Short mmCIF file of all heavy atoms in Angstrom, two decimals:
data_model
loop_
_atom_site.label_atom_id
_atom_site.label_comp_id
_atom_site.label_asym_id
_atom_site.label_seq_id
_atom_site.Cartn_x
_atom_site.Cartn_y
_atom_site.Cartn_z
N LEU A 1 19.83 11.70 -65.45
CA LEU A 1 20.89 12.57 -65.94
C LEU A 1 20.45 14.02 -65.96
O LEU A 1 21.24 14.93 -65.70
CB LEU A 1 21.36 12.14 -67.33
CG LEU A 1 22.09 10.81 -67.44
CD1 LEU A 1 22.28 10.44 -68.92
CD2 LEU A 1 23.42 10.87 -66.75
N ALA A 2 19.18 14.22 -66.28
CA ALA A 2 18.65 15.61 -66.38
C ALA A 2 18.13 16.10 -65.01
O ALA A 2 17.72 17.26 -64.95
CB ALA A 2 17.51 15.64 -67.43
N ASP A 3 18.10 15.25 -64.03
CA ASP A 3 17.64 15.59 -62.66
C ASP A 3 16.20 16.07 -62.70
O ASP A 3 15.86 17.10 -62.12
CB ASP A 3 18.56 16.62 -62.02
CG ASP A 3 18.32 16.73 -60.52
OD1 ASP A 3 17.89 15.71 -59.92
OD2 ASP A 3 18.53 17.80 -59.97
N ILE A 4 15.37 15.33 -63.43
CA ILE A 4 13.92 15.55 -63.41
C ILE A 4 13.26 14.21 -63.16
O ILE A 4 13.83 13.17 -63.35
CB ILE A 4 13.41 16.17 -64.75
CG1 ILE A 4 13.66 15.25 -65.93
CG2 ILE A 4 13.99 17.53 -64.99
CD1 ILE A 4 13.04 15.70 -67.23
N GLY A 5 12.03 14.23 -62.70
CA GLY A 5 11.28 13.00 -62.41
C GLY A 5 10.97 12.24 -63.70
O GLY A 5 10.70 12.83 -64.72
N ARG A 6 11.02 10.89 -63.58
CA ARG A 6 10.73 10.10 -64.75
C ARG A 6 9.30 10.29 -65.22
O ARG A 6 9.00 10.35 -66.41
CB ARG A 6 10.97 8.62 -64.49
CG ARG A 6 11.01 7.80 -65.82
CD ARG A 6 10.69 6.34 -65.65
NE ARG A 6 9.42 6.08 -65.02
CZ ARG A 6 8.22 6.18 -65.66
NH1 ARG A 6 8.12 6.57 -66.90
NH2 ARG A 6 7.10 5.93 -64.98
N THR A 7 8.37 10.45 -64.28
CA THR A 7 6.96 10.66 -64.65
C THR A 7 6.80 12.02 -65.35
O THR A 7 5.99 12.17 -66.26
CB THR A 7 6.01 10.54 -63.45
OG1 THR A 7 6.45 11.43 -62.42
CG2 THR A 7 5.99 9.12 -62.93
N HIS A 8 7.57 12.97 -64.93
CA HIS A 8 7.58 14.30 -65.57
C HIS A 8 8.06 14.20 -67.00
O HIS A 8 7.45 14.71 -67.94
CB HIS A 8 8.43 15.29 -64.75
CG HIS A 8 8.37 16.70 -65.28
ND1 HIS A 8 9.11 17.68 -64.69
CD2 HIS A 8 7.67 17.30 -66.27
CE1 HIS A 8 8.89 18.84 -65.35
NE2 HIS A 8 8.05 18.61 -66.31
N LEU A 9 9.19 13.48 -67.20
CA LEU A 9 9.74 13.29 -68.55
C LEU A 9 8.73 12.52 -69.40
O LEU A 9 8.50 12.87 -70.56
CB LEU A 9 11.06 12.51 -68.47
CG LEU A 9 11.69 12.13 -69.82
CD1 LEU A 9 11.98 13.41 -70.66
CD2 LEU A 9 12.93 11.30 -69.64
N SER A 10 8.11 11.51 -68.84
CA SER A 10 7.13 10.74 -69.57
C SER A 10 5.93 11.62 -70.04
O SER A 10 5.51 11.53 -71.19
CB SER A 10 6.63 9.58 -68.71
OG SER A 10 5.63 8.84 -69.38
N ALA A 11 5.47 12.48 -69.14
CA ALA A 11 4.39 13.40 -69.49
C ALA A 11 4.80 14.39 -70.57
O ALA A 11 4.01 14.71 -71.47
CB ALA A 11 3.92 14.14 -68.25
N ILE A 12 6.04 14.82 -70.55
CA ILE A 12 6.56 15.73 -71.60
C ILE A 12 6.56 14.96 -72.93
O ILE A 12 6.10 15.49 -73.95
CB ILE A 12 7.97 16.23 -71.26
CG1 ILE A 12 7.90 17.22 -70.07
CG2 ILE A 12 8.61 16.91 -72.48
CD1 ILE A 12 9.25 17.59 -69.49
N GLU A 13 7.10 13.77 -72.95
CA GLU A 13 7.18 12.99 -74.19
C GLU A 13 5.81 12.63 -74.75
O GLU A 13 5.64 12.54 -75.96
CB GLU A 13 8.02 11.72 -73.96
CG GLU A 13 9.49 12.02 -73.80
CD GLU A 13 10.35 10.76 -73.85
OE1 GLU A 13 9.83 9.65 -74.02
OE2 GLU A 13 11.58 10.90 -73.73
N ARG A 14 4.80 12.48 -73.89
CA ARG A 14 3.45 12.20 -74.33
C ARG A 14 2.71 13.45 -74.77
O ARG A 14 1.61 13.37 -75.28
CB ARG A 14 2.66 11.48 -73.28
CG ARG A 14 3.07 10.06 -73.00
CD ARG A 14 2.10 9.30 -72.11
NE ARG A 14 1.69 10.05 -70.94
CZ ARG A 14 2.31 10.01 -69.74
NH1 ARG A 14 3.40 9.28 -69.60
NH2 ARG A 14 1.87 10.71 -68.73
N GLY A 15 3.31 14.62 -74.56
CA GLY A 15 2.69 15.87 -74.93
C GLY A 15 1.68 16.37 -73.91
O GLY A 15 0.88 17.25 -74.21
N GLU A 16 1.72 15.82 -72.69
CA GLU A 16 0.78 16.23 -71.65
C GLU A 16 1.27 17.45 -70.87
O GLU A 16 0.52 18.13 -70.21
CB GLU A 16 0.50 15.08 -70.69
CG GLU A 16 -0.20 13.92 -71.36
CD GLU A 16 -0.30 12.68 -70.44
OE1 GLU A 16 0.16 12.73 -69.31
OE2 GLU A 16 -0.83 11.68 -70.95
N ARG A 17 2.59 17.66 -70.93
CA ARG A 17 3.21 18.80 -70.25
C ARG A 17 4.23 19.40 -71.19
O ARG A 17 4.83 18.74 -72.00
CB ARG A 17 3.92 18.39 -68.97
CG ARG A 17 2.96 17.81 -67.94
CD ARG A 17 3.67 17.50 -66.65
NE ARG A 17 3.99 18.77 -65.95
CZ ARG A 17 4.48 18.84 -64.75
NH1 ARG A 17 4.79 17.71 -64.09
NH2 ARG A 17 4.74 19.98 -64.17
N LYS A 18 4.42 20.72 -71.05
CA LYS A 18 5.44 21.42 -71.83
C LYS A 18 6.63 21.67 -70.89
O LYS A 18 6.45 22.12 -69.76
CB LYS A 18 4.94 22.76 -72.36
CG LYS A 18 3.90 22.64 -73.41
CD LYS A 18 3.43 24.01 -73.86
CE LYS A 18 2.27 23.91 -74.82
NZ LYS A 18 1.71 25.24 -75.13
N PRO A 19 7.84 21.39 -71.37
CA PRO A 19 9.02 21.66 -70.51
C PRO A 19 9.29 23.16 -70.42
O PRO A 19 9.09 23.88 -71.37
CB PRO A 19 10.15 20.94 -71.23
CG PRO A 19 9.75 20.93 -72.68
CD PRO A 19 8.23 20.85 -72.66
N THR A 20 9.76 23.60 -69.26
CA THR A 20 10.28 24.96 -69.15
C THR A 20 11.60 25.01 -69.89
O THR A 20 12.20 23.97 -70.28
CB THR A 20 10.54 25.30 -67.67
OG1 THR A 20 11.57 24.42 -67.17
CG2 THR A 20 9.29 25.21 -66.79
N LEU A 21 12.10 26.21 -70.13
CA LEU A 21 13.42 26.35 -70.77
C LEU A 21 14.52 25.63 -69.94
O LEU A 21 15.39 24.98 -70.50
CB LEU A 21 13.78 27.82 -70.95
CG LEU A 21 13.08 28.52 -72.11
CD1 LEU A 21 13.48 30.01 -72.08
CD2 LEU A 21 13.48 27.90 -73.42
N GLU A 22 14.40 25.77 -68.63
CA GLU A 22 15.38 25.11 -67.76
C GLU A 22 15.35 23.57 -67.93
O GLU A 22 16.39 22.94 -68.08
CB GLU A 22 15.10 25.45 -66.30
CG GLU A 22 16.04 24.77 -65.31
CD GLU A 22 17.49 25.23 -65.39
OE1 GLU A 22 17.73 26.41 -65.75
OE2 GLU A 22 18.39 24.44 -65.08
N THR A 23 14.15 23.03 -67.97
CA THR A 23 14.01 21.59 -68.14
C THR A 23 14.47 21.15 -69.53
O THR A 23 15.18 20.12 -69.68
CB THR A 23 12.54 21.13 -67.93
OG1 THR A 23 12.17 21.47 -66.60
CG2 THR A 23 12.35 19.65 -68.14
N LEU A 24 14.14 21.91 -70.55
CA LEU A 24 14.61 21.61 -71.91
C LEU A 24 16.14 21.66 -71.99
O LEU A 24 16.77 20.78 -72.60
CB LEU A 24 13.99 22.57 -72.91
CG LEU A 24 14.27 22.25 -74.38
CD1 LEU A 24 13.78 20.87 -74.78
CD2 LEU A 24 13.67 23.32 -75.28
N TYR A 25 16.72 22.65 -71.29
CA TYR A 25 18.19 22.72 -71.28
C TYR A 25 18.79 21.48 -70.59
O TYR A 25 19.76 20.92 -71.10
CB TYR A 25 18.64 24.01 -70.57
CG TYR A 25 20.15 24.10 -70.45
CD1 TYR A 25 20.91 24.46 -71.58
CD2 TYR A 25 20.79 23.77 -69.28
CE1 TYR A 25 22.29 24.50 -71.48
CE2 TYR A 25 22.18 23.83 -69.19
CZ TYR A 25 22.92 24.18 -70.31
OH TYR A 25 24.28 24.25 -70.21
N ARG A 26 18.23 21.06 -69.47
CA ARG A 26 18.72 19.91 -68.78
C ARG A 26 18.63 18.62 -69.63
O ARG A 26 19.53 17.80 -69.65
CB ARG A 26 17.95 19.69 -67.48
CG ARG A 26 18.22 20.69 -66.42
CD ARG A 26 17.35 20.42 -65.23
NE ARG A 26 17.59 21.36 -64.13
CZ ARG A 26 17.25 21.13 -62.91
NH1 ARG A 26 16.61 20.03 -62.57
NH2 ARG A 26 17.51 22.01 -61.95
N ILE A 27 17.52 18.48 -70.33
CA ILE A 27 17.33 17.33 -71.21
C ILE A 27 18.32 17.35 -72.32
O ILE A 27 18.99 16.34 -72.60
CB ILE A 27 15.86 17.30 -71.75
CG1 ILE A 27 14.88 16.97 -70.63
CG2 ILE A 27 15.75 16.29 -72.90
CD1 ILE A 27 13.42 17.18 -71.01
N ALA A 28 18.49 18.50 -72.97
CA ALA A 28 19.46 18.62 -74.06
C ALA A 28 20.88 18.30 -73.57
O ALA A 28 21.62 17.57 -74.21
CB ALA A 28 19.40 20.01 -74.67
N PHE A 29 21.25 18.88 -72.43
CA PHE A 29 22.57 18.65 -71.86
C PHE A 29 22.79 17.18 -71.57
O PHE A 29 23.82 16.60 -71.89
CB PHE A 29 22.76 19.53 -70.60
CG PHE A 29 24.14 19.46 -70.05
CD1 PHE A 29 25.14 20.27 -70.58
CD2 PHE A 29 24.48 18.59 -69.02
CE1 PHE A 29 26.43 20.24 -70.06
CE2 PHE A 29 25.77 18.52 -68.53
CZ PHE A 29 26.75 19.36 -69.05
N ALA A 30 21.77 16.53 -71.00
CA ALA A 30 21.87 15.11 -70.65
C ALA A 30 21.97 14.24 -71.89
O ALA A 30 22.61 13.17 -71.87
CB ALA A 30 20.66 14.69 -69.82
N LEU A 31 21.38 14.68 -72.99
CA LEU A 31 21.45 13.94 -74.24
C LEU A 31 22.68 14.31 -75.10
O LEU A 31 22.91 13.74 -76.17
CB LEU A 31 20.20 14.21 -75.10
CG LEU A 31 18.90 13.61 -74.59
CD1 LEU A 31 17.71 14.08 -75.42
CD2 LEU A 31 18.98 12.05 -74.64
N ASP A 32 23.46 15.29 -74.59
CA ASP A 32 24.65 15.81 -75.30
C ASP A 32 24.28 16.34 -76.70
O ASP A 32 24.93 16.04 -77.68
CB ASP A 32 25.69 14.69 -75.40
CG ASP A 32 27.05 15.24 -75.82
OD1 ASP A 32 27.35 16.41 -75.50
OD2 ASP A 32 27.81 14.49 -76.48
N VAL A 33 23.19 17.12 -76.72
CA VAL A 33 22.80 17.83 -77.97
C VAL A 33 22.57 19.29 -77.58
O VAL A 33 22.32 19.60 -76.43
CB VAL A 33 21.53 17.24 -78.61
CG1 VAL A 33 21.73 15.80 -79.02
CG2 VAL A 33 20.32 17.37 -77.72
N LYS A 34 22.65 20.14 -78.57
CA LYS A 34 22.34 21.56 -78.31
C LYS A 34 20.85 21.74 -78.14
O LYS A 34 20.06 21.14 -78.87
CB LYS A 34 22.79 22.41 -79.51
CG LYS A 34 24.27 22.45 -79.73
CD LYS A 34 24.55 23.35 -80.95
CE LYS A 34 25.96 23.21 -81.40
NZ LYS A 34 26.13 23.97 -82.65
N MET A 35 20.49 22.60 -77.21
CA MET A 35 19.10 22.90 -77.04
C MET A 35 18.51 23.51 -78.31
O MET A 35 17.40 23.20 -78.69
CB MET A 35 18.90 23.89 -75.86
CG MET A 35 17.46 24.11 -75.52
SD MET A 35 17.20 24.95 -73.92
CE MET A 35 17.72 26.59 -74.29
N SER A 36 19.31 24.26 -79.01
CA SER A 36 18.88 24.89 -80.29
C SER A 36 18.55 23.81 -81.34
O SER A 36 17.65 24.02 -82.14
CB SER A 36 19.92 25.86 -80.82
OG SER A 36 21.16 25.18 -81.06
N ASP A 37 19.25 22.68 -81.31
CA ASP A 37 18.94 21.61 -82.26
C ASP A 37 17.57 21.04 -82.03
O ASP A 37 16.83 20.72 -82.95
CB ASP A 37 20.00 20.47 -82.21
CG ASP A 37 21.35 20.94 -82.77
OD1 ASP A 37 21.40 21.93 -83.51
OD2 ASP A 37 22.34 20.23 -82.46
N ILE A 38 17.19 20.92 -80.75
CA ILE A 38 15.87 20.44 -80.41
C ILE A 38 14.81 21.45 -80.88
O ILE A 38 13.81 21.10 -81.49
CB ILE A 38 15.75 20.16 -78.92
CG1 ILE A 38 16.65 19.00 -78.50
CG2 ILE A 38 14.29 19.89 -78.51
CD1 ILE A 38 16.73 18.75 -77.01
N ILE A 39 15.08 22.73 -80.61
CA ILE A 39 14.13 23.79 -81.00
C ILE A 39 14.00 23.87 -82.49
O ILE A 39 12.88 24.00 -83.02
CB ILE A 39 14.57 25.12 -80.39
CG1 ILE A 39 14.44 25.06 -78.86
CG2 ILE A 39 13.76 26.27 -80.93
CD1 ILE A 39 15.06 26.17 -78.10
N ILE A 40 15.11 23.76 -83.23
CA ILE A 40 15.02 23.79 -84.67
C ILE A 40 14.18 22.66 -85.24
O ILE A 40 13.35 22.88 -86.11
CB ILE A 40 16.45 23.77 -85.31
CG1 ILE A 40 17.18 25.11 -85.06
CG2 ILE A 40 16.42 23.42 -86.78
CD1 ILE A 40 18.68 25.07 -85.33
N GLU A 41 14.34 21.48 -84.67
CA GLU A 41 13.52 20.32 -85.08
C GLU A 41 12.03 20.55 -84.78
O GLU A 41 11.16 20.25 -85.59
CB GLU A 41 14.03 19.04 -84.44
CG GLU A 41 13.33 17.79 -84.96
CD GLU A 41 13.48 17.56 -86.47
OE1 GLU A 41 14.50 17.91 -87.05
OE2 GLU A 41 12.49 17.05 -87.10
N ILE A 42 11.75 21.14 -83.63
CA ILE A 42 10.36 21.43 -83.27
C ILE A 42 9.79 22.45 -84.29
O ILE A 42 8.68 22.27 -84.80
CB ILE A 42 10.26 22.00 -81.83
CG1 ILE A 42 10.60 20.89 -80.83
CG2 ILE A 42 8.88 22.59 -81.57
CD1 ILE A 42 10.86 21.42 -79.43
N GLU A 43 10.56 23.50 -84.58
CA GLU A 43 10.12 24.53 -85.52
C GLU A 43 9.86 23.97 -86.93
O GLU A 43 8.91 24.40 -87.60
CB GLU A 43 11.12 25.68 -85.61
CG GLU A 43 11.12 26.52 -84.35
CD GLU A 43 12.15 27.65 -84.40
OE1 GLU A 43 13.23 27.46 -85.00
OE2 GLU A 43 11.85 28.72 -83.86
N LYS A 44 10.66 23.00 -87.36
CA LYS A 44 10.44 22.39 -88.66
C LYS A 44 9.09 21.67 -88.76
O LYS A 44 8.51 21.61 -89.83
CB LYS A 44 11.55 21.33 -88.94
CG LYS A 44 12.87 21.91 -89.34
CD LYS A 44 13.83 20.76 -89.59
CE LYS A 44 15.26 21.21 -89.78
NZ LYS A 44 16.18 20.07 -89.93
#
């Protein structure tokens, strides 16, 4: 849905890679959540 590689997503989720803003936006859009909601949770 986010048009990124599964291995790339897996590496992001494991903390081995940091997503670019573009990738984070694609993930948020695919999950139907605001990118800002993800960022707020990270900041907390």
Side-chain angles (χ1 to χ4, degrees):
L1 292 171
D3 195 28
I4 61 174
R6 194 204 56 77
T7 54
H8 185 183
L9 176 61
S10 178
I12 290 169
E13 288 191 1
R14 289 192 313 271
E16 295 172 1
R17 297 185 73 174
K18 291 179 187 173
T20 63
L21 282 175
E22 177 68 29
T23 299
L24 186 59
Y25 177 77
R26 289 177 179 199
I27 290 168
F29 187 84
L31 289 172
D32 194 29
V33 299
K34 293 181 192 172
M35 187 167 72
S36 59
D37 290 342
I38 293 173
I39 293 169
I40 288 167
E41 186 59 34
I42 291 166
E43 288 179 325
K44 283 181 188 176

